């Protein structure tokens, strides 16, 4: 608590409709961190990303935008990009893998923008190599396609690329980042990019109903979340690799991707959902550890490694998953 | 503080994307208070109202919607109703007065919905009589025009109509209410209406980017704001009338409307802006009272009477405004 009391935050006034105080401070911090001219705080990434793509479509007069089939805009936003903004989505590649330069090259007709999600969450947090990413971005730029990054989990990509956030963001015109996921803050997002884009984005934010009377509580929590979690992220990623390596020894678990580039992965279990759910309760009771599994129908779950998991050593991981699978043997 | 500790709120779990916990509790409370089947919490009224009007337009296949020329949608939302939702606004009456039944009757072509703001903020918080309001609503219903209330300040209307919130809301299909104004809560709004409407509104809320990961802090502050302020509102309105009556004696001040029906009014000063701004500083220094004037170019300001003003008796009001006008005489 000492840190908060000592923080210059305690001297900042509140904002008025996102103007001034800690909100302006957070926006400046994000712009600097991502190496962009400006940034705007928004209540959600859903809002921020639609807005960026809409602006690119209006500027170019082209309503086709490209993204992966598991893009947040395509599967989690009730088709707002089409219903609200009349954009047409072009799906790149197949839903189970990252799209490739070849997938992009095969698109018919012009595109106003290309959205790249780093990492691609729905397929277990996969990341293209830096070379593949650069090749895709170079191609898009040559075709005058605006590049937008869905950086909901950009914070978790830096160890894999061994580059700063600004270096990873450099090929992109605009970047969205989120504050309430690994950073543990109240809901909130930011869109960063050229000053002219951010100025237009503020108008669209107002239109979306996202220019709220007071954003300071969310902005303060975002600043504190970055202060606390960003330095720990390399450790989360390292711990995720350790866990993935242990779990890959169980024949009943498929780890996707095999070597997680970030702190997230998917686990696909080869035993019945009911057995797992029963084991979760037993482990919670006996070991005081709760697995929030949220299993899909095909027994797949997302595992994100955060601060709470840092204290689990390899033995504990092996013991707990062994018990979860109701198995005493480890397949090596 | 005792009240908060004792409150059942402390036992409520948090929400997950607006689902469960105090958010669901707040929605049930609002639906009941407004006598509607259901309600949904949203980050802003800008979002809530566009969504209601869009649903009515889609249901009827009519994109014309009617409202007063000073409607929030028309002057404060960067024309989102047209830019985002492709609705066409029909402006009723002139900007300086309430619109009348006659204004509505003279509309050419069909309307999907009619928005009525109670009270009409930009003209000083005016309210139609119950008879006029009822006549307008009856006409709209007969024409199958859906009635939507902009109830940003509905809380402040009950004393004038001497009716419950549910009674005032009864003629309307849907009602938007705000939590961060007189209730002093964090930003937030609710849309109440038939269950089928609210179900559709949740989909549009997602599309707008307003279905946030966690709404509990805002919902808790809304519940506490209602608990604290709603019982005091008759006193705010009474105090506003006392102040209006005192101010009407100053020849340099025009009170709009002459007899405020709610706790708000506009003041138009007949002396230079600079003189007023100088007096504000002097009064702040000498009397430790700050007038947040926010004067328009024609020296007009909005005065809202809230809790802080309840302690000002008639003598204090007369003294402070006399000093603000730099005048020792009261014109009687």
């Amino acid at each position: 608590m000492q840190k908060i009391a000592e923080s210059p935050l305690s001297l900042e006034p509140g904002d008025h409709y996102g103007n001034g105080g800690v909100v302006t401070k957070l926006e400046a911090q994000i712009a600097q961190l991502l190496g962009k001219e400006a940034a705007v705080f928004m209540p959600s990434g859903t809002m921020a990303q639609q807005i960026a793509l809409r602006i690119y479509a209006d500027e170019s007069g082209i309503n086709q935008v490209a993204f992966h089939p598991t893009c947040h805009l395509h599967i989690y936003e009730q088709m707002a990009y089409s219903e609200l903004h009349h954009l047409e989505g072009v799906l790149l590649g197949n839903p189970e893998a990252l799209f490739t330069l070849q997938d992009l090259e095969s698109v018919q007709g012009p595109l106003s923008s290309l959205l790249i999600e780093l990492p691609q969450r729905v397929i277990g947090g996969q990341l293209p190599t830096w070379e593949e990413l650069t090749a895709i971005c170079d191609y898009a730029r040559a075709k005058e396609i605006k590049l937008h990054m869905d950086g909901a989990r950009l914070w978790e990509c830096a160890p894999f690329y061994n580059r700063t956030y600004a270096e990873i963001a450099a090929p992109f015109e605009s970047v969205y980042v989120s504050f309430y996921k690994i950073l543990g803050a109240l809901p909130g997002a930011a869109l960063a990019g050229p000053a002219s884009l951010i100025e237009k984005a503020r108008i669209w934010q107002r239109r979306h109903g996202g220019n709220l009377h007071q954003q300071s509580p969310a902005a303060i929590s975002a600043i504190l979340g970055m202060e606390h979690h960003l330095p720990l992220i390399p450790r989360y990623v390292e711990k995720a690799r350790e866990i993935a390596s242990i779990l890959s020894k169980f024949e009943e678990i498929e780890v996707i991707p095999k070597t997680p580039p970030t702190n997230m992965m998917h686990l696909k279990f080869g035993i019945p959902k009911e057995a797992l759910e029963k084991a979760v309760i037993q482990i919670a009771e006996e070991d005081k550890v709760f697995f929030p599994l949220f299993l899909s129908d095909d027994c797949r779950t997302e595992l994100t490694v955060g601060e709470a998991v840092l204290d689990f050593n390899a033995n504990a991981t092996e013991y707990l998953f062994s018990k979860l699978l109701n198995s005493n043997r480890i397949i090596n």
Side-chain angles (χ1 to χ4, degrees), chain A:
Chain A
M1 293 311 288
Q2 202 181 358
K3 237 179 171 177
I4 296 175
E6 283 170 0
S7 159
L9 286 174
S10 55
L11 303 173
E12 293 286 341
D15 65 299
H16 186 65
Y17 288 104
N19 201 352
V22 285
V23 178
T24 300
K25 185 190 173 89
L26 171 63
E27 289 173 347
Q29 201 172 325
I30 289 295
Q32 208 235 332
L33 206 55
L34 301 180
K36 302 297 178 195
E37 271 179 21
V40 52
F41 180 85
M42 295 208 187
S44 71
T46 296
M47 195 178 291
Q49 299 205 106
Q50 284 176 44
I51 287 174
L53 302 197
R54 169 65 181 263
I55 293 171
Y56 298 142
D58 283 355
E59 283 175 351
S60 63
I62 299 165
N63 76 341
Q64 284 203 123
V65 299
F67 35 63
H68 191 265
T70 67
C71 175
H72 198 275
L73 280 89
H74 193 63
I75 61 176
Y76 291 130
E77 302 179 8
Q78 296 280 357
M79 295 302 281
Y81 71 84
S82 131
E83 296 286 334
L84 258 184
H85 289 289
H86 304 278
L87 301 175
E88 197 184 313
V90 175
L91 305 183
L92 298 172
N94 80 69
E96 306 295 331
L98 292 172
F99 73 84
T100 63
L101 175 58
Q102 213 180 346
D103 294 321
L104 180 61
E105 286 171 341
S106 69
V107 171
Q108 304 293 316
L111 297 173
S112 53
S113 63
L114 166 64
L115 179 150
I116 304 180
E117 184 184 346
L118 298 180
Q120 195 73 45
R121 179 195 181 187
V122 175
I123 53 172
Q126 299 185 40
L127 275 176
T129 64
W130 185 253
E131 291 62 38
E132 174 77 0
L133 179 64
T134 303
I136 289 169
C137 291
D138 286 349
Y139 176 85
R141 241 191 328 274
K143 294 275 182 186
E144 295 187 351
I145 299 165
K146 285 288 188 341
L147 282 155
H148 170 76
M149 186 207 295
D150 178 340
R153 292 165 185 78
L154 166 63
W155 313 122
E156 293 95 316
C157 298
F160 176 78
Y161 289 128
N162 194 23
R163 284 176 161 82
T164 66
Y165 304 122
E167 284 166 347
I168 303 170
F172 295 85
E173 184 83 356
S174 52
V175 178
Y176 139 67
V177 290
S178 176
F179 299 122
Y180 75 85
K181 298 177 179 84
I182 199 65
L183 303 181
L186 288 170
L191 181 70
S196 60
L197 175 83
I198 299 308
E199 201 178 324
K200 288 181 187 175
R202 289 184 191 279
I203 294 174
W204 281 105
Q205 178 183 9
R206 183 90 193 157
R207 288 180 178 145
H208 266 254
N211 180 222
L212 308 184
H213 182 243
Q214 249 188 343
Q215 299 274 28
S216 296
I220 289 170
S221 75
I223 291 172
L224 295 174
M226 288 197 290
E227 193 176 308
H228 180 79
H229 288 284
L230 290 186
L232 294 174
I233 283 178
R235 291 180 57 201
Y236 302 163
V237 173
E238 192 185 2
K239 177 59 72 176
R241 285 185 196 165
E242 177 190 293
I243 292 173
S245 150
I246 294 165
L247 299 190
S248 65
K249 297 180 200 162
F250 290 96
E251 64 175 3
E252 301 93 337
I253 299 180
E254 182 188 351
V255 178
I256 306 161
K258 283 193 199 315
T259 307
T262 72
N263 63 328
M264 75 168 285
M265 67 196 84
H266 278 193
L267 305 180
K268 196 172 170 182
F269 294 92
I271 62 171
K273 200 171 165 175
E274 295 67 30
L276 286 166
E277 285 168 346
K278 207 173 148 190
V280 164
I281 304 294
Q282 194 195 342
I283 294 169
E285 286 175 351
E286 295 176 5
D287 301 286
K288 312 301 174 202
V289 171
F290 180 64
F291 283 87
L293 277 186
F294 303 117
L295 288 165
S296 64
D297 286 340
D298 62 343
C299 240
R300 187 164 164 157
T301 191
E302 180 180 288
L303 175 69
T304 297
V305 174
E307 196 171 15
V309 183
L310 289 185
D311 289 339
F312 282 71
N313 63 24
N315 283 345
T317 301
E318 205 169 299
Y319 163 75
L320 287 168
F321 276 90
S322 183
K323 191 161 176 177
L324 183 68
L325 299 168
N326 196 20
S327 149
N328 292 316
R329 74 213 131 73
I330 291 178
I331 307 303
N332 214 332

